[in-house]
Amino acid sequence: MSDLLFARTQMAMSLAFHIIFAVVGIGMPALMVIAEWRWLTSRDPIMLELAKRWAKGTAIMFAVGAVSGTVLSFELGLLWPTFMEHAGGIIGMPFSLEGLAFFTEAIFLGIYLYAWKRISPRAHLAAGVVVAVSGALSGAFVVCANAWMNAPAGFAVVNGVITNVDPIAAMFNKAAPSQVLHMTLAAFAATGFAVAGVHAFALLRGTPHRAFHRAALQIALSVGLPAAIVQPLSGDFSARSVAERQPIKLAAMEGHLKTGPAAFVIGGWPNAETLEHTGAIEIPGAISLLLHGDPNAVVQGLDAVPAEDRPPVAIVHLAFQIMVGCGTLMAALSVWGAVRWRRRRRSIGRALPDDRHFLKAVLLAAPLGFIALEAGWTVTEVGRQPWVIQGFMRTADAVTPMPGLVVPFTLFTLLYIGLAIAVVFLLWRQILKTGVTGTPIGMTGEMPIPRLTPRPGLTAQHERH
Amino acid sequence: MNDTEFALTLPHVVAGTMVLSLNAYVVLGGADFGGGVWDLFARGTHRDEQRSSIAEAIGPIWEANHVWLILVVVLLFTCFPAAYSHLSTELHVPITVMLVGIVLRGSAFTFRTYDSTHDKVQRRWGRIFSVASLLTPVVLGVCLGTVASGGIPMRAIADLGALTFADRFITPWATSPFAWAVGLLTLVLFAFLAASYLTVEARSLPVREIFRRRALQTQGLLLTLAMLTLVVARVENPLLFTGLTSGATALGMHAVTALSAATSLWALATRRYLWARSAAAAQASFILWGWAWTQFPWLLPPNRTITSLAAPEISLQLTLGALAVGTVILLPSFVYLFRIFKKEGTVFEQDR
Ligand code: HDD
Ligand code: HEM
Ligand code: HEM
């Protein structure tokens, strides 16, 4: 592989790794806060237990999110110095705001995790709300920066020199609204489904703590289901935005190879050279109809640009199909769940559907959100190729002159594999295992570090200050 | 500093903010690294107690402390994109090593904390955490030292072709005694900070005594290394040495640093721990600002100034605006965080 390819793969791997923890960092605080709020309103000890257990998981995920994010903020320069040299001053604004959001998030997460007994219950809940809000904001900011790479704005190029920089216009570029909305929904849908899957698994296996897992399942579903139902609509909004700003990316996504009325292509393998599909099912005119309300409307195909300006169509098309497939399944399950939820509420008063069929479906759907997430980013990033800044800078021109990139690539691959194994091992050992079998409710105490009993004589004294 | 004619401009304000942020990272995050070093060297009957005092002091705050570094990086690539791009190209190798250290330190610490069973696995996390805490500051210092000594000048594209891989990416930092002296200095400084803070936060008198001794020892080592660094600078880079030692401001910086060091020694000797903590933080800050002052107005010595590398005015203005708004939110939040967790620090009366 060439250095460029190693750089791209390293970037893709780092982001694919970070995004998982980032998404959990957006979704989990919401679950945690809902549980704690239910504890404060109902005084149901199960809810407190739930909030604490979820907080423990969040702490582990957050730490890995923080360190992998730190790697990214250096990697942008380590791998793409030319890109950053030109883009830094233009899109630094959302990154700076993101930095501030991290700060807020890290501060209040520290408070949330360690100060259960040190501050009032309301202050504690408020700290959780701040974590949830700043997590969602940091995600939104960084996606604005990414959207700018898809829809560059806020600068002019005169004789090869960048002038008229307008960071605000750059931040609020044309791709930002659809990407931010879609990403935020994805975070809630993916986390909600994954957490629901864990607790559905516990219920299916049979557990002495049914009430605990039912409560958890209910909260997780109440976050995941609505997001998954809205997600296809938001995806449609995204697709329209792509059609406007990056028609060739859209062509690659849909596997629309030749300019003309666009069919909806399901499955198959597009051949980039012959511009033919093998083994696909086509619904003629469907994409033209979706985009323009006319099955005969002409849509640009991959052949509209020279071969060196085309993204790798097969990957983009496949990834897009995976995302849409997962999204459709998740939305269908959500509608089914919501309908049954309402029915049961009317007939037997117990809202949450918990028969084995439903639980099994929830268990099977658990990874779908994260699969769709990774697939969606592949669509966005690979679909932008060969550009790093759409229409302005090619990825090949942005890469570092440093040779031998195979070394850092190998190093980080090993590091991430190690981290991934460690996280799975820990979550399994600490949370799932104890949650599914042993450990009676009420045993999760204070977070491990803070002193459980204040040193005698000291606290009383300084209280006077 | 040299006396070229000069006006304070927006880029200088941003650069000052970056040093301030680096200052916060050194004083807060640096001590977290130092804690890891003391975890590694914990010995004797009070070993576990030392370790738990350290973990307790770091636990709730290290993630917030760590964001100061991210802030420096974000400010660098937003406001001085060309400098960011240059540094991350030329220092690719040490920065990568530092990143691995940062990743291992943070994740191993968290894994150890939440892996509640006390067994071999947990001890292994502890080992990774403490070794990473030892190595990362050295590499951070090497990077800063290389920049300060002008080891990685901006070059014309034509000159780059003539350089071998080692000439360009290895030699500038790997073979500079000054850079490694700064690396060691950074490590000892962080360890000294941690020991000084831990005298306040220790759980029991014997442990406090241990950290008091450690603080005194590292202070001695720190002063020796500082001298050594000056000597190395003198031999390796006379221009840098002149910057470090001449002019009223440079000498003034040395004076206040020495004063803080003396205060710290006095406070440690007389067991005035709160004083020791503040003096240590002051000493570290003065060392950092001393370096910043020497380097001023150069961002990348020897040939690029702060102003020449700055992003467009508007980017700087907006970033500073965002920072100002952020400060209004963050400063009270930080005070709140530290008040919740560092309150017990007020053990002063008890000790007198
Ligand atoms: C839970 C995750 C998830 C689910 C269920 C879906 N998506 Fe998605 N999608 C993402 C997660 C995601 C993402 C990973 O978050 C992306 C990558 C960049 C972005 O803004 O969102 C994305 C990007 C993305 C894009 C490209 C946006 C761009 O380049 O700006 C389109 C057109 C769609 N999606 C469309 C859909 C459709 C029609 C779906 C319906 C079924 C769908 N997505 C379900
Ligand atoms: C779509 C992509 C991204 C999203 C949605 C996202 C979102 C987030 C979120 C929510 C966090 C909070 C930490 C957590 O909860 O785990 C986080 C952490 C972080 N991210 Fe990302 N991020 C993305 C990409 C990036 C990129 C490209 C960078 C590099 C410039 C980056 C840098 C960071 C840093 C430095 C942290 C750590 C902050 C801390 O210490 O608290 N992220 N990210
Ligand atoms: C978090 C979710 C993300 C994922 C999974 C992701 C995935 C990828 C992939 C697969 C590539 C390689 C594309 C190729 O070479 O074919 C890539 C490249 C890149 N991405 Fe992303 N990306 C994400 C978000 C971001 C964000 C938020 C930014 C910056 C703000 C970003 C900046 C880049 C850059 C600079 C490159 C290298 C240049 C290029 O290949 O175009 N990415 N990413």
Side-chain angles (χ1 to χ4, degrees):
Chain A
M1 292 211 296
S2 67
D3 275 329
L4 173 61
L5 211 56
F6 277 120
R8 288 163 70 171
T9 318
Q10 185 179 334
M11 191 72 195
M13 181 181 65
S14 308
L15 278 157
F17 187 82
H18 177 68
I19 189 81
I20 294 176
F21 299 91
V23 157
V24 171
I26 297 171
M28 280 312 281
L31 298 184
M32 211 161 79
V33 165
I34 295 177
E36 190 179 1
W37 181 67
R38 299 272 285 273
W39 149 246
L40 290 181
T41 49
S42 72
R43 290 286 151 185
D44 178 353
I46 283 182
M47 292 299 174
L48 179 61
E49 176 72 16
L50 202 51
K52 287 193 171 179
R53 292 232 176 147
W54 277 342
K56 248 182 153 180
T58 306
I60 295 172
M61 301 296 271
F62 186 87
V64 181
V67 293
S68 60
T70 308
V71 172
L72 277 173
S73 49
F74 282 95
E75 237 170 24
L76 285 175
L78 291 176
L79 298 175
W80 315 105
T82 316
F83 165 64
M84 287 311 284
E85 186 173 348
H86 293 92
I90 309 174
I91 50 160
M93 178 82 179
F95 278 118
S96 313
L97 293 171
E98 191 204 14
L100 297 176
F102 288 151
F103 242 134
T104 323
E105 193 180 4
I107 291 174
F108 285 92
L109 189 72
I111 294 174
Y112 190 88
L113 291 177
Y114 288 94
W116 284 96
K117 293 191 180 151
R118 296 183 189 222
I119 54 179
S120 75
R122 275 168 180 235
H124 191 265
L125 179 69
V129 172
V130 175
V131 174
V133 171
S134 50
L137 278 179
S138 53
F141 289 135
V142 76
V143 171
C144 284
N146 177 268
W148 176 84
M149 294 159 62
N150 286 324
F155 66 98
V157 179
V158 181
N159 299 328
V161 180
I162 291 179
T163 57
N164 285 337
V165 170
D166 178 353
I168 296 196
M171 180 169 163
F172 296 102
N173 57 71
K174 268 203 297 197
S178 62
Q179 277 196 244
V180 168
L181 176 68
H182 199 59
M183 176 73 223
T184 311
L185 286 170
F188 291 119
T191 323
F193 268 68
V195 173
V198 170
H199 295 282
F201 175 67
L203 289 170
L204 279 170
R205 277 243 318 229
T207 154
H209 313 304
R210 282 195 75 77
F212 174 78
H213 290 288
R214 279 180 50 91
L217 183 64
Q218 188 174 15
I219 294 178
L221 287 179
S222 69
V223 169
L225 295 196
I229 291 178
V230 187
Q231 191 68 327
L233 300 176
S234 143
D236 178 61
F237 175 40
S238 284
R240 284 166 201 280
S241 160
V242 174
E244 202 179 311
R245 67 180 132 93
Q246 294 168 298
I248 300 306
K249 183 195 262 184
L250 185 86
M253 278 159 44
E254 304 290 0
H256 179 49
L257 304 177
K258 293 177 192 153
T259 303
F264 191 66
V265 183
I266 302 169
W269 192 258
N271 185 326
E273 264 138 48
T274 59
L275 295 183
E276 297 290 348
H277 278 283
T278 38
I281 304 166
E282 301 197 16
I283 307 174
I287 294 299
S288 292
L289 184 69
L290 268 178
L291 287 177
H292 303 288
D294 169 8
N296 295 318
V298 172
V299 176
Q300 273 188 18
L302 214 58
D303 64 355
V305 291
E308 72 267 18
D309 286 351
R310 296 177 195 159
V313 57
I315 298 177
V316 181
H317 181 58
L318 181 68
F320 185 61
Q321 305 244 316
I322 292 175
M323 168 171 58
V324 175
C326 292
T328 312
L329 286 176
M330 288 164 73
L333 175 65
S334 301
V335 172
W336 182 41
V339 169
R340 304 204 39 197
W341 197 318
R342 279 198 48 173
R343 267 208 215 128
R344 284 169 65 99
R345 181 125 110 222
R346 263 197 235 128
S347 59
I348 56 173
R350 287 233 318 264
L352 185 73
D354 62 354
D355 54 280
R356 296 190 75 81
H357 287 307
F358 185 73
L359 291 181
K360 268 191 194 146
V362 171
L363 175 60
L364 287 177
L368 290 184
F370 281 95
I371 296 173
L373 184 79
E374 300 286 357
W377 277 104
T378 309
V379 172
T380 305
E381 299 288 310
V382 181
R384 191 184 58 237
Q385 302 305 315
W387 304 101
V388 58
I389 307 172
Q390 179 73 41
F392 286 93
M393 185 188 284
R394 283 174 192 271
T395 313
D397 299 330
V399 74
T400 179
M402 159 100 180
L405 291 180
V406 59
V407 179
F409 169 76
T410 316
L411 194 66
F412 280 103
T413 309
L414 293 177
L415 193 63
Y416 285 140
I417 292 177
L419 278 184
I421 293 175
V423 168
V424 171
F425 172 73
L426 270 183
L427 288 180
W428 183 249
R429 202 154 98 141
Q430 294 309 307
I431 297 162
L432 306 190
K433 252 187 162 175
T434 51
V436 175
T437 58
T439 324
I441 300 300
M443 287 305 283
T444 309
E446 186 85 346
M447 287 295 137
I449 282 182
R451 192 174 295 120
L452 291 178
T453 43
R455 258 171 305 162
L458 288 184
T459 328
Q461 275 196 8
H462 78 247
E463 226 69 281
R464 276 185 275 121
H465 296 273
Chain B
M1 195 191 84
N2 54 20
D3 341 77
T4 35
E5 202 138 327
F6 147 86
L8 196 71
T9 59
L10 206 53
H12 296 121
V13 178
V14 179
T17 316
M18 282 169 58
V19 180
L20 210 57
S21 183
L22 199 59
N23 192 170
Y25 183 62
V26 166
V27 168
L28 301 169
D32 296 341
F33 279 105
V37 175
W38 294 129
D39 183 284
L40 187 66
F41 292 133
R43 291 272 181 291
T45 41
H46 298 285
R47 192 185 67 186
D48 291 340
E49 217 183 325
Q50 287 175 49
R51 290 206 167 121
S52 55
S53 291
I54 293 166
E56 221 170 71
I58 298 179
I61 53 167
W62 76 266
E63 265 164 324
N65 290 347
H66 174 77
V67 186
W68 290 108
L69 178 66
I70 296 169
L71 193 62
V72 176
V73 175
V74 169
L75 283 176
L76 185 65
F77 75 56
T78 307
C79 300
F80 305 99
Y84 172 77
S85 152
H86 178 73
L87 289 175
S88 49
T89 307
E90 310 297 319
L91 294 175
H92 191 121
V93 181
I95 291 179
T96 303
V97 176
M98 184 176 84
L99 282 179
V100 173
I102 288 178
V103 169
L104 290 180
R105 197 274 303 230
S107 42
F109 177 74
T110 309
F111 294 167
R112 184 182 72 172
T113 307
Y114 291 101
D115 204 355
S116 46
T117 37
H118 293 271
D119 58 12
K120 275 210 314 271
V121 184
Q122 207 187 15
R123 195 52 223 134
R124 206 168 299 149
W125 295 133
R127 184 52 57 88
I128 296 178
F129 158 67
S130 52
V131 171
S133 300
L134 184 79
L135 296 182
T136 314
V138 178
V139 188
L140 175 67
V142 167
C143 292
L144 293 182
T146 310
V147 176
S149 67
I152 44 166
M154 285 235 183
R155 289 182 255 233
I157 309 242
D159 299 341
L160 286 177
L163 295 176
T164 64
F165 175 80
D167 282 349
R168 185 167 175 196
F169 296 108
I170 307 286
T171 318
W173 57 272
T175 61
S176 155
F178 179 75
W180 286 93
V182 176
L184 280 185
L185 190 72
T186 311
L187 174 67
V188 174
L189 180 66
F190 286 3
F192 163 67
L193 283 173
S196 303
Y197 297 177
L198 282 164
T199 58
V200 180
E201 295 176 37
R203 287 169 132 187
S204 68
L205 281 178
V207 172
R208 171 170 304 161
E209 239 352 87
I210 292 174
F211 286 124
R212 185 180 82 95
R213 247 191 354 259
R214 295 263 154 94
L216 280 168
Q217 289 158 350
T218 33
Q219 174 69 283
L221 200 56
L222 186 62
L223 295 177
T224 321
L225 265 176
M227 289 298 154
L228 194 73
T229 313
L230 275 184
V231 175
V232 173
R234 165 120 213 214
V235 177
E236 186 180 339
N237 191 334
L239 208 67
L240 179 68
F241 179 75
T242 318
L244 282 170
T245 50
S246 49
T249 325
L251 293 180
M253 280 290 181
H254 287 299
V256 284
T257 312
L259 189 66
S260 320
T263 312
S264 144
L265 284 172
W266 162 78
L268 287 169
T270 58
R271 299 192 165 71
R272 289 178 163 82
Y273 297 116
L274 287 183
W275 277 91
R277 176 164 76 176
S278 313
Q283 189 181 342
S285 310
F286 288 134
I287 292 176
L288 189 79
W289 282 94
W291 159 63
W293 186 263
T294 316
Q295 171 145 348
F296 189 79
W298 304 101
L299 182 56
L300 292 180
N303 57 3
R304 287 293 185 283
T305 59
I306 295 172
T307 22
S308 73
L309 289 170
E313 191 95 334
I314 177 81
S315 305
L316 305 191
Q317 284 167 349
L318 286 169
T319 308
L320 278 181
L323 275 186
V325 175
T327 310
V328 174
I329 302 169
L330 288 175
L331 217 54
S333 309
F334 244 102
V335 172
Y336 186 51
L337 177 75
F338 278 81
R339 278 191 52 172
I340 293 177
F341 294 109
K342 298 290 169 190
K343 267 207 295 201
E344 295 97 313
T346 358
V347 293
F348 204 36
E349 304 87 347
Q350 193 210 12
D351 293 316
R352 263 191 311 192

